[in-house]
Amino acid sequence: MKTRITELFGIEHPIIQGGMHYVGLAEMAAAVSNAGGLGIITGLTQGTPEKLANEITKCRGLTDKPFGVNLTFLPAVTPPDYPSLVQTIIDSGVKVVETAGNNPQKWLPQLKEADIKVIHKCTSVRHSLKAQSIGCDAISVDGFECGGHPGEDDIPNFILLPRAADELDIPFVASGGMADARSLVASLAMGADGMNMGTRFIATQEAPVHDNVKQGLVAASELDTRLIMRSLRNTERVLTNTAVERLVEKERELGAELKFEDIVSEVAGVYPRVMIDGDMQAGAWSCGMVAGLVYDVPTVKELIDRIMAEADVIIVERLGNFRAA
Ligand SMILES: Cc1cc2nc3c(=O)[nH]c(=O)nc-3n(C[C@H](O)[C@H](O)[C@H](O)COP(=O)(O)O)c2cc1C
């Protein structure tokens, strides 16, 4: 399949693995890139420039295909050393950066100077247009279904994607709720040039996370995510568990009075406990409604090959057969 996204990033299939905290390690990114998609290392999971440089080197050892690095800009009391992380990416020769969380304008001149393609993750048309106007090369349009931070507008992809197509000139991928060939073909039909998957890629053989997490996704249904931290304007979609239900109860009780300190035990330091130790009750971790469409734990190559083969059948046979003679 050839789209503006495959051309832009020099990849075989229009499928991207979005940055994921404690999941987007070298093994994950390399597996996706080796299978013809675009794998992405999550910069902030490494934290320091030295560790990020090592992870990039490790990924290079595992694939000779293009891969990217995710840089998430989040409000933080002690922000990560973004200038050094950006410089590390540039020095490493990585040619794709996925930005998210906040306007990446400050970093664009440096990244563009180094001939790096920037795909910015946006949950609204207005942010997508802003990203286009400041020079981003592509957008990852993240609908309300998505795992992680869907923003505060709550527009699902059936509306958001065609709206993005109506407004944007630069290519975009559909993100949030994407799992299979139907997701890909529907995204293309709505004007996207490919799709980005987060949650689906966690349930693969190569995902460097505890097996409990993979089996948890297979067991979960589309009813098992919760939206948390809305009153803090930092809404996040997470997989439910006892800690998340406790958090939701606190939100109900405290309403607008809720402060971050009230829920810190349910959200801080959770990722290593879930992803490494497999403690599924540890706290809140990002997960999409698409968990309901996760039925197995294939290799990344099996997953991507299946998506591309079935997409072909949908386009040529199912859709083709609807044409009246
Ligand atoms: C466990 C997990 C961790 C994530 N961490 C990040 C992150 O650190 N930075 C980021 O930009 N997006 C993050 N995301 C969002 C994904 O990159 C992607 O946009 C999202 O998962 C798409 O929705 P889906 O899960 O329905 O496929 C995360 C998602 C998950 C499931």
Side-chain angles (χ1 to χ4, degrees):
M1 198 179 275
K2 184 173 146 183
T3 74
R4 290 189 295 169
I5 285 294
T6 59
E7 298 287 288
L8 181 66
F9 296 130
I11 52 178
E12 194 184 344
H13 308 305
I15 299 175
I16 300 177
Q17 166 250 315
M20 287 182 280
H21 200 34
Y22 277 87
V23 182
L25 308 182
E27 295 89 342
M28 179 85 263
V32 174
S33 291
N34 280 333
L38 184 73
I40 293 187
I41 292 173
T42 313
L44 293 193
T45 303
Q46 301 307 318
T48 67
E50 296 73 27
K51 287 185 181 161
L52 179 57
N54 287 341
E55 201 67 13
I56 293 171
T57 304
K58 184 170 174 190
C59 196
R60 271 249 162 69
L62 298 170
T63 184
D64 55 5
K65 304 272 177 61
F67 62 89
V69 174
N70 168 284
L71 267 185
T72 305
F73 304 109
L74 288 175
V77 188
T78 336
D81 183 359
Y82 286 115
S84 302
L85 290 170
V86 169
Q87 195 56 49
T88 300
I89 294 169
I90 292 170
D91 294 344
S92 74
V94 163
K95 290 296 172 209
V96 181
V97 166
E98 178 195 50
T99 51
N102 218 328
N103 186 331
Q105 187 160 19
K106 185 172 168 194
W107 311 104
L108 278 181
Q110 247 177 301
L111 294 169
K112 298 271 86 186
E113 173 87 1
D115 201 24
I116 290 173
K117 303 275 184 267
V118 176
I119 178 164
H120 186 53
K121 192 181 300 176
C122 298
T123 57
S124 72
V125 172
R126 68 184 183 286
H127 292 150
S128 304
L129 282 171
K130 178 73 189 170
Q132 173 175 274
S133 76
I134 62 173
C136 291
D137 299 281
I139 309 289
S140 192
V141 175
D142 218 18
F144 183 51
E145 305 88 335
C146 73
H149 295 271
E152 310 302 329
D153 288 352
D154 302 355
I155 308 297
N157 269 333
F158 246 90
I159 308 299
L160 191 59
L161 298 175
R163 280 286 299 125
D166 287 344
E167 302 274 351
L168 287 174
D169 298 319
I170 57 173
F172 67 95
V173 293
S175 178
M178 305 293 144
D180 54 30
R182 295 170 298 187
S183 320
L184 177 60
V185 177
S187 301
L188 298 173
M190 287 193 273
D193 280 280
M195 69 175 178
N196 177 72
M197 301 195 294
T199 302
R200 184 62 186 95
F201 274 125
I202 304 176
T204 57
Q205 295 290 325
E206 294 92 333
V209 304
H210 197 285
D211 198 49
N212 288 356
V213 180
K214 304 180 189 188
Q215 296 311 325
L217 287 175
V218 173
S221 88
E222 62 276 21
L223 301 175
D224 293 333
T225 68
R226 300 286 179 270
L227 289 175
I228 61 168
M229 296 191 286
R230 173 126 279 179
S231 64
L232 301 175
R233 291 193 64 78
N234 186 27
T235 301
E236 183 179 1
R237 187 180 295 285
V238 301
L239 189 67
T240 188
N241 57 34
T242 47
V244 167
E245 291 305 323
R246 195 166 62 234
L247 188 162
V248 168
E249 191 50 41
K250 285 185 196 175
E251 292 189 324
R252 225 175 262 136
E253 277 168 17
L254 295 169
E257 303 298 309
L258 182 96
K259 293 187 199 59
F260 185 73
E261 299 84 78
D262 297 319
I263 56 169
V264 82
S265 59
E266 283 84 20
V267 298
V270 170
Y271 276 78
R273 290 171 62 198
V274 173
M275 300 301 178
I276 300 171
D277 307 339
D279 177 0
M280 296 301 282
Q281 306 302 325
W285 60 280
S286 296
C287 176
M289 290 172 143
V290 75
L293 288 170
V294 174
Y295 306 120
D296 59 0
V297 184
T299 66
V300 169
K301 182 166 164 46
E302 281 163 357
L303 176 65
I304 291 184
D305 283 352
R306 184 164 78 197
I307 291 172
M308 296 316 297
E310 290 180 5
D312 205 50
V313 173
I314 295 174
I315 294 167
V316 176
E317 294 179 19
R318 181 170 164 79
L319 301 184
N321 288 342
F322 286 134
R323 300 178 78 180

